[in-house]
Every structure is written in C-alpha cells, then in structure tokens.
Amino acid sequence: MSKIKIEAFLSVPACSGGITLSKLLKEIEEEFGNKIEITICKGRHELYQKYNLTAAPAVVVGELVRIMGVCPSKETLIAALREAGLN
C-alpha cells in the first residue's frame, strides 16, 4: 500500500494557524508515520497555484484541497486521511 500524501502550506512569516498546524502534523506523523508522507511548503510555493490556494494554512490530502484558511482539528485531519484511504 502506498503512503497517503499530505502537503501543508504555511505562510511566511508564520501565523498562529500555521504554527498550530505544524504541531498537529508532528502528532499525526507520530501516530501514522508509516502510512503517510508529509511535505511542508512555506510561502508562495510553486504548488500554491497548482491547487489554486487563496489562503494559508492549507492542507492537501492526496490531490484534493481539504482545508484552507484555518488549522483543522486533529479529528478533521484524520477524517480527511480516512476519506483518502487511511486504514
């Protein structure tokens, strides 16, 4: 089984939502590390336009934008991972 890809987009300088999202991603990585692959993109990363993002923080799971403009709760992020196929 391939890993589920998470791409997190954070603003520069970091906002409170981005700081909270970074901490949340560390928790998620500790819990599901062997099942996920996390990439953190800071500032106006080249992928920002690929996903047509308009606000940070944002989270893309698989190829779908799941969260934009706020830091999700842990439960919301896990639900997005489960929808993408996490067992």
Side-chain angles (χ1 to χ4, degrees):
M1 183 177 137
S2 61
K3 293 184 177 188
I4 295 173
K5 186 169 78 168
I6 300 171
E7 293 170 294
F9 294 84
L10 308 176
S11 62
V12 175
C15 64
S16 61
I19 293 167
T20 305
L21 179 57
S22 294
K23 291 176 185 176
L24 175 58
L25 289 172
K26 287 179 185 175
E27 283 181 43
I28 294 293
E29 187 172 38
E30 287 175 12
E31 193 169 335
F32 302 105
N34 59 336
K35 298 178 181 181
I36 61 172
E37 177 185 331
I38 298 173
T39 302
I40 296 179
C41 306
K42 295 183 179 180
R44 288 280 182 170
H45 193 274
E46 61 194 38
L47 294 174
Y48 209 84
Q49 291 208 318
K50 173 186 175 184
Y51 294 117
N52 205 21
L53 300 175
T54 57
V59 179
V60 175
V61 178
E63 291 292 318
L64 297 174
V65 177
R66 297 294 184 149
I67 294 114
M68 186 170 26
V70 296
C71 178
S73 67
K74 185 175 182 179
E75 293 78 17
T76 298
L77 186 52
I78 290 172
L81 290 168
R82 293 209 190 286
E83 288 176 11
L86 181 72
N87 296 326

